[in-house]
Amino acid sequence: MTTSRRLVGIDLARTLALLGMFAAHLAVQEGDGPGGVSWLFQLVAGRSSALFAVLAGVSIALAAPLSAVRADPRLHRRRLLVRSALIAVIGLVIGLPSSGIAVILTYYGVLFCCALPVLRWEARSLAWLALGWGLLSPVVSLLVRQVLPEPTLMVPSLATLLVAPLQMVLELLVTGYYPVLTWATYLFAGLAVGRWVQARGGADRTVLGGLVLGGAASAALALVASALVLRSQQVRSALLDSVGLDAGSWATLDADRRTGFYGTHPEESAWWLGVWAPHSGSVVDLVHTTGTALLVLGGCLALVRLTPSLPWPILAGAGRATLTLYVAHVLVLSTPLGDTGPLARDTTTGLVLHSVLALTAGALIAASGRRGPLEAFLHEATHGTPARSSSPRS
């Protein structure tokens, strides 16, 4: 597989992640799915943002090839640090208006810094790091959160940075919507995949099979483990006690679990570590969402490889401008259009329009041979070179 085609497969995965994030933000939660939660919301909740984080790790690895990093590690660490800082600042700015969205960018900026000490690592070491981190970080989070202040669930912004800087740091690292402590699992997994793809090539059957089959097996195993844990009445009682509900309220808690938490699960019971719930940061959550991310990425790489005649660079153009399109999405939701207009949340029309506009803008950007505006800005800030490109880039 050529480099450009491999990167188009990653762009396709990014496009799916972006559309999934739109659905998580805009889709109606109530529906005829299990627990009274809609099937669409249950499909995308927690999985789309995790896919983005894994793909971020892949992109970092591809942007800094191992040979280049080892030749000049300070250069690549400096570039990554600048990129991290700029993404964090963009997040702080768009967190100012009220959009109703838990803006992820400041978390991402901090998360990317976790790659700095391991940029020179090979795929195997990174894979072991991701596995160990995914198994141990939820336990550390559970223990640490018992002595930390309750989260305010603030959206990181320039205002919260000035008013409550310590609380914001604690939420970015441990107790917030996308806590870096547990989310580093996704970044390390993505770095491992990026190094593996570099070493073996995106067309290698071992890579494609490993991503698809390994991802599917991990995702399924996590759900099976969660289902077995929840079969126990003793476990259900412990979970209900942990959130202050009585024994007859399991249906309520089950619906809340399927809707998802806000970055962390309750710390009053260790059984939550073995329960699948979106955005819970449990062991099962990290294993499942990492698995689904690998499955989607492998599927996208395989699809682009098997259907070379399709115009994937245009169809997946949104994947080249996800930062720009995500920021536009958040800003639109902070305007009256996001409250009561055609682009408002909790409506099928809003979801369709956000998606169609993003895909159209992405196609136009890809056809022009350029990056998205914010992507171009980041590239020039970190590389100091023009952002025009004749081939798709990560």
Side-chain angles (χ1 to χ4, degrees):
M1 183 182 293
T2 66
T3 298
S4 61
R5 186 172 297 173
R6 180 187 71 206
L7 297 182
V8 169
I10 295 171
D11 285 344
L12 177 59
R14 284 202 201 97
T15 300
L16 295 179
L18 182 69
L19 298 181
M21 291 279 274
F22 288 176
H25 295 159
L26 301 171
V28 178
Q29 294 185 9
E30 295 78 15
D32 57 359
V37 182
S38 74
W39 285 102
L40 175 60
F41 186 81
Q42 290 196 56
L43 175 65
V44 300
R47 298 183 177 98
S48 300
S49 52
L51 175 57
F52 256 130
V54 170
L55 291 172
V58 174
S59 296
I60 289 172
L62 295 181
L66 194 55
S67 58
V69 172
R70 288 177 171 172
D72 194 347
R74 300 176 76 176
L75 170 65
H76 290 281
R77 288 188 177 122
R78 183 169 64 251
R79 286 177 174 175
L80 180 56
L81 192 58
V82 170
R83 185 180 185 86
S84 301
L86 292 174
I87 289 175
V89 169
I90 293 171
L92 291 175
V93 172
I94 68 170
L96 284 169
S98 177
S99 63
I101 299 298
V103 178
I104 200 171
L105 294 183
T106 305
Y107 290 92
Y108 268 16
V110 179
L111 178 64
F112 289 2
C113 293
C114 295
L116 292 171
V118 297
L119 271 182
R120 300 175 68 178
W121 289 24
E122 296 182 351
R124 184 183 298 273
S125 299
L126 288 165
W128 281 111
L129 175 62
L131 177 61
W133 204 277
L135 296 176
L136 294 178
S137 64
V139 178
V140 174
S141 173
L142 177 66
L143 297 175
V144 170
R145 285 187 287 117
Q146 296 179 23
V147 298
L148 292 180
E150 287 293 318
T152 63
L153 297 179
M154 66 173 69
V155 176
S157 70
L158 292 174
T160 57
L161 178 61
L162 294 174
V163 173
L166 179 58
Q167 182 68 26
M168 194 184 84
V169 169
L170 289 176
E171 297 199 13
L172 286 171
L173 296 179
V174 184
T175 62
Y177 290 105
Y178 314 99
V180 171
L181 173 60
T182 49
W183 275 61
T185 303
Y186 301 131
L187 187 77
F188 295 146
L191 285 168
V193 171
R195 292 289 182 238
W196 193 25
V197 168
Q198 282 178 330
R200 300 292 296 268
D204 186 89
R205 291 187 178 182
T206 301
V207 173
L208 295 179
L211 291 175
V212 172
L213 297 179
S218 298
L221 180 62
L223 291 183
V224 169
S226 178
L228 291 175
V229 167
L230 291 177
R231 289 182 62 182
S232 169
Q233 189 59 49
Q234 180 182 1
V235 171
R236 291 191 178 193
S237 297
L239 298 179
L240 288 166
D241 289 343
S242 72
V243 295
L245 294 176
D246 58 46
S249 301
W250 175 251
T252 300
L253 181 58
D254 187 49
D256 290 342
R257 173 184 72 86
R258 293 177 183 276
T259 301
F261 293 113
Y262 299 96
T264 58
H265 58 72
E267 65 263 22
E268 287 78 9
S269 174
W271 283 113
W272 282 111
L273 292 169
V275 174
W276 155 242
H279 294 297
S280 65
S282 70
V283 173
V284 165
D285 177 30
L286 295 179
V287 173
H288 175 73
T289 49
T290 301
T292 57
L294 299 181
L295 171 61
V296 171
L297 175 56
C300 289
L301 290 171
L303 183 60
V304 170
R305 175 178 180 266
L306 294 173
T307 56
S309 61
L310 293 179
W312 287 117
I314 302 300
L315 296 175
R320 300 180 64 190
T322 49
L323 176 60
T324 297
L325 296 173
Y326 176 83
V327 169
H329 168 71
V330 172
L331 292 179
V332 165
L333 289 177
S334 66
T335 69
L337 287 175
D339 291 328
T340 58
L343 296 172
R345 64 177 62 227
D346 296 332
T347 65
T348 301
T349 301
L351 174 57
V352 170
L353 284 177
H354 276 264
S355 302
V356 169
L357 289 172
L359 291 173
T360 302
L364 293 174
I365 289 170
S368 72
R370 296 180 179 273
R371 296 177 172 87
L374 288 179
E375 286 76 10
F377 164 69
L378 289 180
H379 183 85
E380 292 187 19
T382 55
H383 291 75
T385 57
R388 186 170 181 84
S389 168
S390 60
S391 62
R393 294 181 183 270
S394 174

